[in-house]
Amino acid sequence: MQASPLQNIVIVGGGTAGWMSAAALATVLKDRCRITVVESDEIGTVGVGEATIPMIQRFNHLLDIDEDEFLRETYGSFKLGIEFVNWGRIGDRYMHGFGRIGRELWPVGFEQHWLRMRALGRAAPLEAYSIARMASKANRFLPPQLDMEDSPLREITYAYHFDASLYARYLRRRSEKLGVVRVEGKIVETRLRTDGEAADHVEAVVLDGGRRIEGELFVDCSGFRGLLIEQALQTGYEDWTHWLPCDRAWAVPCESARPFTPFTRSTAHRAGWQWRIPLQHRTGNGHVFCSAHMSDDEAASILMANLDGAPLAEPRLIKFRTGMRRLAWNRNVVAIGLSSGFLEPLESTSIHLIQSAIQQLIDFFPDRGFAAADVDEFNRQARFNYESVRDFIILHYHLNQRDDSEFWKQCARMEVPQSLAQKISLFESHGRIVRFNNELFSEVGWLQVMEGQNLVPRACHPLAGLKSEDATATYLESVREVIAKCVAVMPDHADYIAKHCAAKPV
Ligand code: FAD
């Protein structure tokens, strides 16, 4: 049985999605396939997307990226989680920290023992059992200490913040070393085949000036415009703004401030929220808001009034529509990145969705036959990934008790997807959290948001009561003490960066 291998891949777009795709495909395919990236300096990139989640380490591992070099070149920093301010009620503050919380104690999860003891007034706040959260509070960072058996220091889980344009540049350099060819130019036309078995597949893109670039597989990384997947193939878009009504963001960098926090912050405002991403040379900020409830001017002034330091540029307005492309893979076009859909960056998931789309493309890598079963499965998985992240983000909005604006009241009242309603009722009744089909966010992610936004279960798991109250309290206390001791030996985040991966001063 002989496959008919592809020999010519064209990636349209040189933003984060384009260069991540190029670097990964070139690493996997080596010189078995020609890979061309077409990008236009005149059009540019979206220029945001600077916070990630821990799975990015797998991507870096695939590319054999040296962490210190990577952070030096992208002016990056470490991220142990996201702090949420004003999300449940104004004045509330909690964190979604990465990695595990507590220690298992048979026969139920740690959270069940904690819920039981909290109801009895014999537990510390949830954060006390999370090394990521306690280290964040103290602005400390250390990568996992793999030689420390059975210690929370072995399990530290982290992600990165980095400068988006430097990240694309970094991946471009790596891709070009692996043989990827970059073509600068603006695509003005997409040509479809008119005959044969592959009729209606994309045959070539044509640049301003007439140059024609042919391909067998096209990866559409052209950003929101979806040059091939939408403008050429008219695949269609599923709109989710009835669940996630924010549709704009102002973005602006500002001078760095101290302390150098190892986490992203998300502060809820009257009709949206503001991100804060600390990098080595600046802090990235943005205000995501709902234009039906707030004017552009008001949103910009809220952002500018809530910066850590002096702004380093004029704020930039970015418009978007939350949702996903009906098919991420259509004929011989695979959409990756913003061309495949958009979910606001509340949990820093877009770069991860790029990474998982690339992994799926590798898993279902086609030959010239483009088997329908492979394409269908790719699309099914892409939909599942988008929908499960969507539900997690809706949870933050829906679970609010704010009464200071119609925006928040509407979010609290809205009917949520059935899949999310089911998760909320499971937690409300007995604090149970079920991870559906290996979805991205684990039980501890859901727990931290539900607990952080004041959803209190009516009861805990009936089997949590099998252990005596005193034994459980002693057990919780021992976990808390171990975590506190571990955090005390971790270095300051700024010192760790200065020692291992300081970028050149700008
Ligand atoms: P783009 O960066 O827009 O790149 C598109 C490319 O296509 C460009 O190179 C452009 O020149 C090229 N192109 C387009 N048309 C043509 C043409 N006609 N001819 C030639 N080339 C063309 N994600 C996260 O994971 N974490 C975050 O913190 C985060 N924050 C975000 C904040 C906001 C406000 C927004 C809107 C998004 C955020 N994202 C975040 C998402 C993240 O920015 C994107 O997923 C990521 O940057 C990938 O973008 P892209 O490469 O798909 O598109």
Side-chain angles (χ1 to χ4, degrees):
M1 195 169 60
Q2 195 66 39
S4 167
L6 293 182
Q7 282 170 357
N8 189 3
I9 300 176
V10 177
I11 298 173
V12 171
T16 299
W19 286 114
M20 282 178 79
S21 304
L25 291 175
T27 302
V28 171
L29 296 168
K30 306 230 161 30
D31 49 10
R32 257 171 266 147
C33 202
R34 177 156 24 111
I35 301 176
T36 309
V37 172
V38 187
E39 66 174 320
S40 157
D41 287 341
E42 183 194 324
I43 293 174
T45 66
V46 72
V48 280
E50 308 201 313
T52 59
I53 57 174
M55 263 64 77
I56 191 159
Q57 288 188 34
R58 283 195 212 156
F59 185 77
N60 286 5
H61 187 68
L62 169 76
L63 267 58
D64 201 18
I65 284 177
D66 174 81
E67 180 170 89
D68 291 346
E69 175 204 86
F70 163 68
L71 289 172
R72 258 195 305 276
E73 296 206 18
T74 60
Y75 288 73
S77 64
F78 294 97
K79 170 175 174 182
L80 293 169
I82 307 176
E83 183 184 47
F84 291 94
V85 181
N86 296 340
W87 276 85
R89 294 174 291 242
I90 294 179
D92 283 359
R93 192 177 279 267
Y94 75 94
M95 185 170 223
H96 170 192
F98 299 141
R100 114 149 67 176
I101 296 198
R103 283 249 166 264
E104 293 308 307
L105 180 63
W106 193 83
V108 293
F110 177 85
E111 73 284 359
Q112 290 294 344
H113 298 290
W114 178 78
L115 286 167
R116 175 180 172 226
M117 287 294 116
R118 183 180 65 167
L120 295 165
R122 297 187 68 179
L126 189 60
E127 64 178 13
Y129 308 98
S130 153
I131 192 159
R133 290 174 67 164
M134 295 312 281
S136 295
K137 245 183 137 171
N139 294 309
R140 291 173 187 249
F141 176 76
L142 191 66
Q145 302 299 293
L146 299 177
D147 54 342
M148 298 198 66
E149 286 287 318
D150 205 28
S151 161
L153 288 171
R154 190 191 164 94
E155 295 166 356
I156 295 167
T157 306
Y158 64 94
Y160 309 109
H161 303 117
F162 48 64
D163 180 307
S165 52
L166 296 179
Y167 183 54
R169 215 175 294 166
Y170 177 76
L171 292 178
R172 174 182 157 188
R173 272 197 303 278
R174 293 185 74 93
S175 306
E176 287 179 327
K177 270 193 203 143
L178 292 166
V180 173
V181 174
R182 172 183 182 269
V183 174
E184 156 62 32
K186 188 167 160 187
I187 296 167
V188 290
E189 193 189 338
T190 304
R191 295 250 168 92
L192 303 188
R193 285 185 202 284
T194 48
D195 53 12
E197 273 180 35
D200 289 338
H201 281 218
V202 172
E203 181 177 55
V205 288
V206 182
L207 304 187
D208 200 4
R211 180 170 170 192
R212 180 185 151 97
I213 299 173
E214 292 188 357
E216 292 167 307
L217 170 69
F218 287 81
V219 185
D220 184 346
C221 299
S222 63
F224 286 128
R225 51 178 54 76
L227 205 62
L228 307 189
I229 196 78
E230 196 56 52
Q231 291 185 14
L233 301 187
Q234 297 177 357
T235 304
Y237 194 76
E238 197 169 301
D239 188 317
W240 290 339
T241 46
H242 49 294
W243 286 314
L244 293 167
C246 288
D247 55 355
R248 289 174 192 202
W250 284 105
V252 72
C254 76
E255 284 174 355
S256 301
R258 286 294 175 260
F260 192 7
T261 52
F263 55 87
T264 309
R265 179 175 296 135
S266 156
T267 305
H269 291 312
R270 196 170 53 72
W273 60 279
Q274 176 170 341
W275 78 76
R276 175 188 178 278
I277 299 177
L279 303 176
Q280 292 190 42
H281 58 321
R282 62 170 168 81
T283 301
N285 310 277
H287 184 186
V288 172
F289 65 101
C290 174
S291 64
H293 289 263
M294 185 173 280
S295 71
D296 291 352
D297 286 351
E298 191 185 353
S301 39
I302 289 176
L303 174 65
M304 301 310 272
N306 286 285
L307 301 180
D308 283 351
L312 296 171
E314 286 298 313
R316 224 160 34 88
L317 185 65
I318 303 166
K319 297 182 182 175
F320 49 78
R321 189 156 64 103
T322 295
M324 69 173 289
R325 207 62 67 194
R326 290 196 189 284
L327 299 172
W329 186 335
N330 188 359
R331 296 170 234 179
N332 63 337
V333 173
V334 179
I336 295 184
L338 298 174
S339 61
S340 69
F342 183 72
L343 285 165
E344 60 179 81
L346 188 56
E347 284 281 351
S348 317
T349 42
S350 286
I351 293 173
H352 174 76
L353 288 168
I354 294 172
Q355 178 183 339
S356 39
I358 294 170
Q359 184 58 55
Q360 283 164 239
L361 177 56
I362 293 168
D363 292 345
F364 295 98
F365 197 75
D367 61 16
R368 289 191 173 119
F370 288 94
D374 293 345
V375 174
D376 289 349
E377 180 56 20
F378 178 100
N379 283 324
R380 191 197 63 75
Q381 291 185 14
R383 172 166 288 279
F384 175 77
N385 290 342
Y386 260 92
E387 287 181 348
S388 52
V389 173
R390 174 201 69 192
D391 283 5
F392 192 53
I393 295 176
I394 298 173
L395 177 77
H396 299 63
Y397 281 97
H398 182 56
L399 227 56
N400 85 83
Q401 304 90 54
R402 292 180 55 143
D403 56 8
D404 57 305
S405 73
E406 193 45 36
F407 172 80
W408 288 108
K409 288 188 209 162
Q410 272 182 22
C411 291
R413 277 198 306 266
M414 75 180 154
E415 198 173 318
V416 298
Q418 211 282 323
S419 41
L420 175 58
Q422 188 185 354
K423 287 222 177 196
I424 294 176
S425 15
L426 277 165
F427 189 77
E428 261 177 336
S429 68
H430 285 86
R432 294 185 224 266
I433 304 166
V434 180
R435 189 176 189 175
F436 298 146
N437 296 323
N438 211 20
E439 64 184 301
L440 176 59
F441 289 101
S442 69
E443 291 84 344
V444 282
W446 287 88
L447 169 70
Q448 291 177 85
V449 177
M450 292 201 264
E451 191 276 329
Q453 295 195 198
N454 312 310
L455 187 64
V456 180
R458 287 189 287 277
C460 60
H461 195 298
L463 301 184
L466 289 180
K467 297 255 180 279
S468 84
E469 207 181 303
D470 284 347
T472 312
T474 307
Y475 163 76
L476 288 191
E477 186 49 19
S478 70
V479 175
R480 191 197 64 74
E481 271 176 15
V482 170
I483 289 195
K485 281 187 190 145
C486 290
V487 171
V489 301
M490 292 169 73
D492 181 75
H493 178 223
D495 293 346
Y496 185 89
I497 288 191
K499 187 163 171 202
H500 296 273
C501 46
K504 282 196 207 113
V506 276

